[in-house]
Amino acid sequence: MKQNKMTIEIKAILENVATIRVAISSFISNLNITIDELMDIKTSVSEAVTNSIEHGYDGIYTEDSTVLVNAYIISDDEDIVKIEVIDKGIGIEDIELATTPTYTSKPELEHAGMGFTIMESFMDEIVIDSTKDNGTMITLTKKIKKKKSTVL
């Protein structure tokens, strides 16, 4: 089994979501991945990072308000992309409620309420580990099927 890892820490501001999307795309670009798989991963990571910024810090930002993203490629019989999005924010009090489709703690945001639903539909696995007042870690996992080479 072969493993590769990338870690990026960003200041918790929405402008940095695009930076994470580009970094993740570059990191997994050596895999034999389809455009659909790439878009699923980029979209899910964007949702997780956006949630960390908007909900994790709940508008209370300090110099220490950051989002840490660890990305792994685990290669064996299939390639697995695993991404951890970690914040040191307020945590999620009720994970079951937070993952209910269309539920949002911020109804004033026009795109609110679908983040976890999007992540769950695009990834093979999503794990949420959160402690009130101690932050949240969202782990996203996607299996990339190894494509057979075609010889002409």
Side-chain angles (χ1 to χ4, degrees):
M1 179 172 35
K2 203 170 91 176
Q3 185 170 326
N4 193 5
K5 179 183 180 188
M6 172 185 76
T7 298
I8 297 179
E9 186 170 16
I10 58 165
K11 188 169 178 86
I13 56 175
L14 289 175
E15 292 84 355
N16 287 335
V17 174
T19 302
I20 294 298
R21 285 177 64 93
V22 171
I24 291 294
S25 294
S26 296
F27 182 66
I28 63 177
S29 66
N30 289 330
L31 296 176
N32 190 1
I33 190 168
T34 66
I35 294 294
D36 287 342
E37 289 168 329
L38 177 64
M39 292 306 295
D40 289 352
I41 293 167
K42 285 172 46 174
T43 301
S44 298
V45 170
S46 294
E47 291 293 335
V49 173
T50 299
N51 275 2
S52 289
I53 294 167
E54 290 183 341
H55 301 284
Y57 290 105
D58 199 28
I60 303 165
Y61 302 103
T62 67
E63 283 302 310
D64 295 331
S65 299
T66 62
V67 177
L68 180 69
V69 178
N70 295 317
Y72 306 86
I73 297 172
I74 304 153
S75 296
D76 207 354
D77 292 336
E78 60 189 351
D79 291 321
I80 298 171
V81 176
K82 179 176 159 185
I83 300 161
E84 300 166 337
V85 177
I86 305 162
D87 67 62
K88 298 174 275 187
I90 62 171
I92 302 170
E93 205 163 326
D94 186 339
I95 292 173
E96 188 175 335
L97 179 61
T99 57
T100 302
T102 71
Y103 169 78
T104 181
S105 61
K106 295 192 179 274
E108 68 278 9
L109 299 176
E110 68 179 63
H111 59 277
M114 294 304 294
F116 285 122
T117 303
I118 290 168
M119 289 180 246
E120 287 174 344
S121 65
F122 287 170
M123 301 300 283
D124 292 318
E125 182 180 36
I126 172 176
V127 176
I128 303 164
D129 184 17
S130 189
T131 308
K132 186 167 171 34
D133 299 324
N134 214 14
T136 300
M137 179 167 76
I138 300 169
T139 305
L140 305 165
T141 306
K142 181 118 180 136
K143 295 175 185 164
I144 309 300
K145 306 284 185 266
K146 293 218 175 172
K147 318 299 186 276
K148 300 235 188 288
S149 298
T150 55
V151 179
L152 300 176

